Structures are given as C-alpha cells and as structure tokens.
Amino acid sequence: ALKLFEKDTALAGLSFAIENYSKSSAIETVDFMLEHYYWLPCQRRRTFANFLSLYSSFYKKKEFITADYEELDTYGEDIIVNFNLSEKGYKLLFEPSNKVTHINIKKNFYSFINHQLKIGIGAAVVRKKIHIPYQSIFVKFPLLILITPLYVVPRMGLTYLVRDDFKNFSFFLRHLYLFFIGNFFWALGFLKEATVKNEILRNNTCS
C-alpha cells in the first residue's frame, strides 16, 4: 500500500480485494459474495468514487480527515467517505492483485436474510444522504428497487464467467436460488427505509 501511495501522489484511498475466510456453508459464502461483490479478486483494477470498502482500505490520514466521516447505525459509512473524497477531487483505487481475508460470522438461513435486509436498509440510508445520479431514482421511486435482483444477480454470474473464475461461477449456478433470495431481501430492506422517508415527506407536505 505504501509503495502505491508513493508511486501516485494523487492517490487518497486504496482498497484491496476481499477473500472469504469462512467457507463452512453455502449460505455463508453466498452472503459474503453478495455483500462484497464489488471487491472480489475477480474484479478488474479500477478507480471509482463510491465503492472502496473499509474492510480492506487504506487512506492518507490528511485526506481521510477531510472526508467528513459519519458513523451510522447501519452499513454504508465507507460509501459516504469515498463519495466525499471523490467530490473533493481525490483519486481512489481498487487493486485486486493484493488481497485481504475477511472472516464472516457464522450464519443460518434466518441470519442470512436478516443480514441482507440490514445491508439494504444501509444502502437506502446512504443514498438519502448523498446523490449518486444513476441510483437516486430508487429513493424517489422505491418500488423500482424490487426489480434489481433481475439485474444484479445475472451480472454477478456474468462477471465470474468473463473473468474466467469458473470455481465461483460453478458455485453461483449451484446456489442461484440463494443469490436471488438474498438480493431480494436486500431490496426489501432498501424499500423499507426509502418508504419510511417518503411517508415522512408526504406527511410534512400534507400538514
């Protein structure tokens, strides 16, 4: 990480790929793959604004202090940090050639769907705080979020196939139903949080 920062002085944040340590059950692996899809080793090296993961990220101290870190009761602080840094003109990099191991908490089916529900709630909280152009429509029209599994899940499978990650692609096909279930509950969590906001807005407008 230090070498990359020294090589590129414009770089403010750097994130490595995340590998799954806990592979004791299909549910735990699906849960991991859904949550960390953007940072899996099969993803390509790229710069992007909103998706450096705090699980595997390093920041220059001076720049991080200016990022207006905000602790939330849900998931999503990392997206806000990276969005704020990007808005200030700083460069962020995802480098998949280096990896960080993530230890997942053991899960059963109930804790799996509950976890995805909470991640979805966090996603809506974040998108109410910051304006991401191609995603803000889901806050304005929350019901649209329910169709996202039809896009997100096939996209995951295509990524594994294109990147020649046949091991994960085979796992993906065998447990396709769990990916759809998990992402659907993520969408329900998003819908729940976004609808709460819209209800408040409607009440304030009518009063």
Side-chain angles (χ1 to χ4, degrees), residues 51 83 88 91 205:
F51 296 108
F83 182 84
K88 295 175 185 292
K91 182 179 176 182
T205 302

Side-chain angles (χ1 to χ4, degrees), residues 20-80:
N20 187 16
Y21 176 82
S22 176
K23 299 180 180 178
S24 57
S25 75
I27 283 178
E28 290 167 13
T29 303
V30 171
D31 185 70
F32 171 86
M33 292 169 75
L34 283 171
E35 182 178 4
H36 303 292
Y37 164 71
Y38 290 103
W39 313 290
L40 295 178
C42 65
Q43 297 284 10
R44 61 183 175 84
R45 187 179 193 265
R46 63 202 187 278
T47 57
F48 52 156
N50 309 319
F51 296 108
L52 293 191
S53 170
L54 290 186
Y55 285 117
S56 62
S57 292
F58 304 86
Y59 296 89
K60 289 180 180 176
K61 183 177 180 180
K62 180 181 177 181
E63 283 77 0
F64 184 82
I65 291 172
T66 70
D68 303 321
Y69 177 80
E70 178 182 357
E71 187 170 350
L72 303 177
D73 293 330
T74 59
Y75 297 89
E77 297 101 332
D78 44 2
I79 295 178
I80 294 177

Side-chain angles (χ1 to χ4, degrees), residues 2 4 31 36 46 53-54 60 70 76 78 80-81 85 95 108 111 116 128 134 138 142 157 166 175:
L2 289 175
L4 286 170
D31 185 70
H36 303 292
R46 63 202 187 278
S53 170
L54 290 186
K60 289 180 180 176
E70 178 182 357
D78 44 2
I80 294 177
V81 165
L85 284 172
E95 178 51 76
N108 54 32
S111 59
Q116 292 299 319
K128 289 188 292 186
Y134 64 94
F138 296 115
F166 298 117
H175 302 94

